[in-house]
Amino acid sequence: MNCLSLTVLWPKVLWDTFKKMPPFPKLWKASILYTMVSNFYAHKPGLYWKKKSPDGLNQVPKLTRREKEILAEAAKGLTTNQMAEKLFISPHTVESHRKNLIEKFQTSNLSSAIKLAIEYGLIIE
């Protein structure tokens, strides 16, 4: 299921489910529905981008667990050797992940990728 389908269908699915529930006070129903939809979108920042964004990406890049770790450590200002030591991997592996991140974010350097990752909610400042 693509992002657009989830964006459009998820609230409807929730609402249909709530309509079938036993009668609650209307305020409770609305409050529960609002909380669930808000929580869903808060954890899925990419669902808001249905068209191509100004930075040229069609959607938020899908990152591996290790790429997310490298991104977070780079955002803290660690060098390649420091990241390698901290994550128990070789500096060459760190460089490979950095290269992949730059490609996935379609940027020319890792600092720009970090900036985009913060904007997309992939890294919390």
Side-chain angles (χ1 to χ4, degrees), residues 39-109:
N39 287 340
F40 175 78
Y41 285 121
H43 295 93
K44 306 284 185 191
L47 294 180
Y48 287 115
W49 297 303
K50 296 180 190 82
K51 57 184 178 182
K52 200 165 191 172
S53 58
D55 54 34
L57 294 174
N58 289 321
Q59 61 184 16
V60 178
K62 294 196 184 328
L63 305 179
T64 65
R65 176 185 56 85
R66 191 58 95 178
E67 287 170 342
K68 289 176 186 175
E69 290 172 350
I70 297 292
L71 200 56
E73 297 304 324
K76 293 176 188 172
L78 269 61
T79 65
T80 298
N81 289 333
Q82 290 170 329
M83 284 187 261
E85 196 173 300
K86 184 173 182 177
L87 300 172
F88 304 104
I89 56 178
S90 77
H92 178 73
T93 304
V94 172
E95 284 299 323
S96 295
H97 288 304
R98 291 170 68 116
K99 181 181 74 59
N100 292 341
L101 287 165
I102 290 168
E103 286 176 12
K104 285 183 178 184
F105 281 99
Q106 299 173 5
T107 60
S108 57
N109 56 50

